[in-house]
Amino acid sequence: MLAALWRYRYFVMASVYGEMKGRFARSRLGLLWSILHPLAQAAIFAIILAEVLGTRLAGVEDKAAYPIYLLSGMAAWTLFNEILSRCLTVFIEYAPTLKKIAFPRICLPVIVWGGALLNHVLLLLAIVVVFLFFGHFPGIAWLSLLIGIVLISLFAFGLGLTLGIFNVFVRDIGQVMAVVLQLWFWLTPIVYPIEIVPDHLRWIINLNPMVALVGIYQDAMLLNRWPDFMPLLIPAALSIGFAAAAFAVFRRASPELVDAL
């Protein structure tokens, strides 16, 4: 499969560009919408929670700390959510293409992965501009975002590809995951700091691998602090494990995908 991806690398790159261009066809703002949507959602949360409800981060005096904390977490979650959601339905969306054109089917989720990474880079650039408006300048610890991007995208890709294959045969999986992702978002400290979670519920939060992964962004972008690598061991193992399992499941199910579609 890796050799096939390499042979079709130009097809993958052209498809990423074509998908991005087609997604915003006849739109005056085009690619900017992929940046404006998460920024608008974060701005709504920030205005309601920070300005109306007076939400503040403990131990941080900066008034812009909460919006920065929120934007950091939203950036990490947007990457995870886009890769997972698109991989979940990619084979169903491209069913006509799979039936008409012969190419390695593993290219489809990789195209989705590449498009999501491109969106994410543009979103980070937009967030930098917002941070500069707040007088918050990027530091050297921002380099740790590369670790976050790799682990989050690998985790989302592995989980999304596995569920996406099962979703071809059992369409209920896509419907269930729409609800699961909403619950998962609120079980991840993005809108709220983890310190406010009651002690008797903290164990639920600690079971969530996205807590440590989102924390990479929050530590780097808000506090200019490198992450603690010990809590990342389990999420890193899960990311590698899900990716390996996804390729194994895909290889086994690939001959039956088109028939099921």
Side-chain angles (χ1 to χ4, degrees):
M1 287 188 290
L2 295 177
L5 282 173
W6 178 252
R7 288 197 305 269
Y8 280 78
R9 61 191 182 278
Y10 298 113
F11 167 75
V12 171
M13 290 186 288
S15 298
V16 169
Y17 173 75
E19 184 181 77
M20 297 293 292
K21 186 177 179 180
R23 191 187 305 180
F24 303 103
R26 299 186 180 180
S27 172
R28 293 186 180 275
L29 294 181
L31 195 60
L32 285 175
W33 283 117
S34 63
I35 301 171
L36 293 176
H37 283 155
L39 284 180
Q41 186 178 6
I44 292 170
F45 279 129
I47 291 172
I48 294 175
L49 296 174
E51 300 299 330
V52 178
L53 300 180
T55 304
R56 294 290 182 270
L57 293 179
V60 183
E61 299 297 331
D62 189 354
K63 291 183 178 180
Y66 180 74
I68 292 171
Y69 173 86
L70 182 59
L71 282 170
S72 305
M74 289 294 295
W77 180 262
T78 300
L79 175 64
F80 171 74
N81 183 63
E82 182 175 0
I83 296 176
L84 177 55
S85 300
R86 290 296 314 284
C87 285
L88 192 62
T89 59
V90 66
F91 298 113
I92 298 173
E93 290 177 9
Y94 284 89
T97 304
L98 286 170
K99 295 176 182 178
K100 295 178 182 178
I101 304 175
F103 64 96
R105 294 165 188 145
I106 192 62
C107 290
L108 288 180
V110 174
I111 290 169
V112 167
W113 193 355
L117 289 175
L118 179 59
N119 272 340
H120 189 63
V121 171
L122 295 174
L123 177 60
L124 289 179
L125 292 176
I127 288 177
V128 169
V129 175
V130 175
F131 283 9
L132 293 177
F133 176 78
F134 286 129
H136 187 78
F137 298 93
I140 188 66
W142 277 54
L143 292 176
S144 64
L145 294 183
L146 294 174
I147 301 173
I149 291 172
V150 170
L151 292 180
I152 291 174
S153 62
L154 195 62
F155 180 47
F157 179 81
L159 182 58
L161 179 56
T162 303
L163 294 176
I165 295 168
F166 291 137
N167 192 40
V168 171
F169 301 96
V170 184
R171 301 294 172 90
D172 295 323
I173 292 177
Q175 304 300 326
V176 171
M177 283 304 299
V179 178
V180 169
L181 282 172
Q182 292 185 42
L183 179 61
W184 201 340
F185 173 81
W186 289 104
L187 288 177
T188 306
I190 296 172
V191 176
Y192 57 88
I194 194 172
E195 289 77 15
I196 71 171
V197 178
D199 291 337
H200 67 282
L201 296 177
R202 191 71 63 88
W203 67 273
I204 300 177
I205 303 296
N206 291 335
L207 291 176
N208 182 0
M210 283 301 295
V211 173
L213 297 178
V214 169
I216 297 174
Y217 279 67
Q218 293 166 339
D219 286 342
M221 300 175 81
L222 174 62
L223 305 174
N224 193 28
R225 184 174 67 193
W226 291 88
D228 183 0
F229 290 99
M230 285 301 295
L232 293 176
L233 293 179
I234 293 179
L238 287 174
S239 299
I240 297 171
F242 274 122
F247 280 110
V249 171
F250 178 84
R251 185 167 185 171
R252 186 178 182 87
S254 181
E256 302 175 12
L257 278 179
V258 176
D259 294 334
L261 291 168

